[in-house]
Amino acid sequence: MAGPSGTTLALDGDGLETVIAAVRQRGYTVIAPTVRDGAVAYEPITSAAALPRGVGDEQGPARYRLRERDDDALFGFAAAPSSWKRYLYPPATTLWRARRDEHGTLLFDESAAAVPRYAFLGVRACELAAILVHDRVFAGAAHPDPTYAARRRELFIIAVHCGSPSGVCFCTSMGTGPRAREGFDLGITELLDTATPRYIVEAGSPAGLELLESLAASPATVQDLEAAQAVTDVATEHMGRHLETGGLPEMLQRNLEHPQWDDVAARCLSCGNCTMACPTCFCSDDVEAQAPDGETSARVREWASCFSHDFSYIHGGTVRETVRSRYRQWMTHKLGTWWEQFGTSGCVGCGRCIAWCPVGIDITEEAAAIRASDGRGRGSA
Amino acid sequence: MTPVSHRVVGRRVETADVVTLQLEATDGSRLRYAAGQFNMLYAYAVGEVAISISANPLGGGPIAHTVRNVGSVSRALCGLQIGDTLGLRGPFGSDWGLDSAAGGDLVIVAGGIGLAPLRSVITQVIAERDRFGTVEIVIGTRTPEELAFKAEVESWRARSDLSVHVTVDRATPGWRGTVGVVTTVLPRVHCDPAAIALVCGPEVMMRFTALALMERGMPASRIRVSMERNMQCAIAQCGHCQLGSVFVCADGPVFTWERLEPLLAVRQL
Ligand code: SF4
Ligand code: SF4
Ligand code: FES
């Protein structure tokens, strides 16, 4: 329960405000959940007043709604539609610029954008796991991505352990939540057992500890710690979805020709919403952006989706011509081949792809349907 | 990864739609690479494309890329003239692993523009001819006019320490050589099961070549092929080149047939 320090504080709502102030004082831009256009969005905030008070959510296949809670919870909802990935891996990033010198010789300038210092407040366990996945993809690579690596280095993470999982959550299946175990600077559990919420705050890193020790607050009692543990214990019992992960990569691998792929292909619109919403999907296009004056041209990396028809285009045609093959690519990557590539699952169980699929395709159901008739689609790979 | 500016110091028109560019870095730096690797070449304001290196890695001269005009970037690259500059980042990917083949025989099979990355290996083998046993080279093109590196192929043919077979799918007037796809030539080629085969060409050509070599007794583990996939980042981050669990840009482009065959057996993987 306690961080490596053993220091855990119990704060009230005002105490949470002092945490935000202390983080801001250290030069961070705080990004946190707030309500925008009928959904929770992770946006810059300057005060706890911007947090969604008394707001819950209802999520299901192709369904997301906010609801009013009967308490003053500030973190009474599950994963928000848009994940944190856009802050560390922006939807468009200039990689480098090309220009010509007076002799017409091409010159290249590395893009040198200022590095924002973000503090993410309200990172869920599954979302933290997704950041750790991207660490492997972008920072642990042979050629680390400079934008990601620089932003990540500056990042301060305040995790909030989950008390209100939604109908599409399955972090327990993926072993990622509902309690964040590693990778955060501060970890918060919101306790709703009193008239106004209380916050049990633990340190998970030296930077987190330094911040905690700067606060004038009372340490959490043994009862507080037990209550905090109970919050996530209860959440574990309220997962909206379940995914059987035993032998999953091998199971998919031997079912690459399973009829279920045709079944899902008949429903899938190949819109790519799932890939945009997913906190671990990392595919991108490199596109050319010539400056209007024609003097320079930039190479820009933009989010892309393996669902687009030309994603696998090579001279002579598209490799994954059918929706069947594209859905199969996406799902077997998330749940299967990711392991071989990055030593981890590509799915953290946040459920976003289920809620944001316009036709309600559910990755857990598709995997279960294949498993239910395991072997009907033997592939040789 | 930011490109390095390179100047075109040599340009040779190979066929109607293929050009070989010789390149030198404008900052005087020298690229170290192995035969089989590729670079991302950038044409100003158009974009980047993955092109394998066609020069001898031990040659010490300019780096060479042989480009076929099949899209907007390759068209722009083919249009570059001596003195023009382009961007180059690399080298990327796996190589033909020539060192592990030393001491044994080589069977080199090229289809069409697939000869480009193999020219890199052939020129290196010629430079270090003593390190290898027999060297069989099979080159297939659609028509005689589509054969790249014509003069060089002639010089290879003239050597007694190489056995070179050129075949065309379709003869045109004046062609007196073999007609037929590369696999029609393979039965005539000296092919020891302990040899290493290096194969590059269209996917279907590589499949049939691998099958034919296996019929000749070569194990799939000794057959190496070079794959083409959509490549954009070249550093295993954009996702475009994935083939099953493989990133063709970083794990390939050269794979053993043993590794690749099961992946290619699944349609649209
Ligand atoms: S695949 Fe779906 S459930 Fe898994 S991490 Fe991505 S969006 Fe979340
Ligand atoms: S699974 Fe759903 S969200 Fe994903 S591409 Fe298909 S229709 Fe779109
Ligand atoms: S080219 Fe981008 S992942 Fe291979």
Side-chain angles (χ1 to χ4, degrees), chain B residues 164-226:
Chain B
V164 180
H165 315 258
V166 180
T167 178
V168 300
D169 297 353
R170 227 166 353 99
T172 47
W175 178 253
R176 290 196 305 271
T178 315
V179 177
V181 294
V182 287
T183 44
T184 58
V185 179
L186 285 176
R188 301 207 302 269
V189 165
H190 173 78
C191 175
D192 190 285
I196 294 281
L198 310 177
V199 185
C200 187
E203 216 164 289
V204 44
M205 167 267 177
M206 296 198 290
R207 173 193 307 278
F208 284 115
T209 301
L211 290 176
L213 292 170
M214 281 161 56
E215 264 169 39
R216 297 287 310 273
M218 285 190 73
S221 60
R222 303 189 74 82
I223 303 170
R224 299 175 190 169
V225 306
S226 181

Side-chain angles (χ1 to χ4, degrees), chain A residues 106 285 288 311 322 328 340, chain B residues 5 42 85 240 245 267-268:
Chain A
L106 274 187
D285 286 338
E288 193 68 13
F311 186 80
T322 58
R328 183 181 66 185
E340 223 178 293
Chain B
S5 180
Y42 170 76
T85 45
H240 280 274
S245 65
R267 286 191 57 227
Q268 300 193 16

Side-chain angles (χ1 to χ4, degrees), chain A residues 17-375:
Chain A
E17 192 70 85
T18 63
V19 171
I20 294 173
V23 171
R24 282 166 46 79
Q25 202 187 14
R26 283 161 178 74
Y28 292 102
T29 300
V30 177
I31 313 289
T34 188
V35 172
R36 196 189 250 202
D37 302 328
V40 174
Y42 301 145
E43 298 291 341
I45 64 154
T46 53
S47 147
L51 297 170
R53 183 176 301 273
V55 173
D57 62 10
E58 288 170 18
Q59 301 196 40
R63 183 177 160 79
Y64 177 93
R65 302 237 185 312
L66 294 186
R67 65 179 171 88
E68 223 175 287
R69 295 175 60 103
D70 53 11
D71 55 32
D72 280 341
L74 297 178
F75 300 100
F77 42 83
S82 158
S83 76
W84 304 93
K85 83 173 168 184
R86 71 189 157 109
Y87 290 105
L88 297 177
Y89 167 44
T93 307
T94 297
L95 301 172
W96 39 267
R97 285 191 173 76
R99 62 188 162 89
R100 294 185 186 283
D101 69 8
E102 63 278 18
H103 308 294
T105 299
L106 274 187
L107 299 175
F108 296 92
D109 302 311
E110 201 166 330
S111 159
V115 179
R117 292 189 79 209
Y118 292 128
F120 293 170
L121 164 61
V123 177
R124 304 305 183 158
C126 64
E127 301 182 308
L128 184 49
I131 293 171
L132 299 181
V133 168
H134 270 187
D135 284 352
R136 296 181 186 224
V137 175
F138 290 120
H143 301 272
D145 176 59
T147 301
Y148 183 90
R151 291 179 177 216
R152 182 67 175 94
R153 243 189 324 271
E154 296 297 327
L155 182 63
F156 191 87
I157 296 179
I158 307 172
V160 171
H161 309 302
C162 275
S164 306
S166 84
V168 295
C169 289
F170 56 104
C171 61
T172 46
S173 302
M174 305 316 291
T176 58
R179 173 166 290 279
R181 280 183 298 264
E182 53 162 350
F184 55 83
D185 295 292
L186 294 177
I188 297 183
T189 313
E190 183 172 50
L191 296 185
L192 300 168
D193 54 359
T194 45
T196 55
R198 292 188 308 135
Y199 299 91
I200 307 305
V201 189
E202 75 216 76
S205 74
L209 181 60
E210 179 275 318
L211 192 139
L212 265 202
E213 286 177 345
S214 76
L215 302 176
S218 46
T221 63
V222 172
Q223 289 87 335
D224 291 337
L225 298 184
E226 282 171 5
Q229 184 60 46
V231 166
T232 43
D233 287 350
V234 170
T236 301
E237 302 305 316
H238 288 86
M239 289 292 132
R241 288 284 182 284
H242 172 76
L243 177 63
E244 179 56 55
T245 56
L248 188 53
E250 300 76 19
M251 193 279 288
L252 292 172
Q253 199 58 32
R254 63 178 175 262
N255 285 287
L256 293 174
E257 306 293 356
H258 197 283
Q260 187 66 22
W261 302 119
D262 296 302
D263 190 277
V264 68
R267 288 170 279 135
C268 175
L269 311 174
S270 202
C271 64
N273 271 13
C274 48
T275 55
M276 296 295 121
C278 178
T280 68
C281 273
F282 61 81
C283 286
S284 61
D285 286 338
D286 282 359
V287 300
E288 193 68 13
Q290 199 177 4
D293 62 7
E295 294 297 310
T296 64
S297 197
R299 204 73 191 144
V300 179
R301 180 186 65 190
E302 294 178 348
W303 285 6
S305 173
C306 58
F307 279 94
S308 59
H309 179 258
D310 61 359
F311 186 80
S312 59
Y313 179 84
I314 48 175
H315 171 63
T318 281
V319 176
R320 286 186 285 276
E321 183 62 43
T322 58
V323 175
R324 173 187 186 272
S325 68
R326 299 205 286 277
Y327 186 88
R328 183 181 66 185
Q329 162 62 22
W330 179 71
M331 206 242 251
T332 57
H333 190 211
K334 297 267 92 158
L335 301 177
T337 49
W338 208 291
W339 279 101
E340 223 178 293
Q341 295 172 342
F342 301 109
T344 176
S345 168
C347 173
V348 297
C350 73
R352 285 184 176 89
C353 56
I354 305 170
W356 295 96
C357 174
V359 294
I361 292 171
D362 177 342
I363 188 171
T364 65
E365 276 179 13
E366 298 307 320
I370 293 171
R371 197 187 279 276
S373 47
D374 185 0

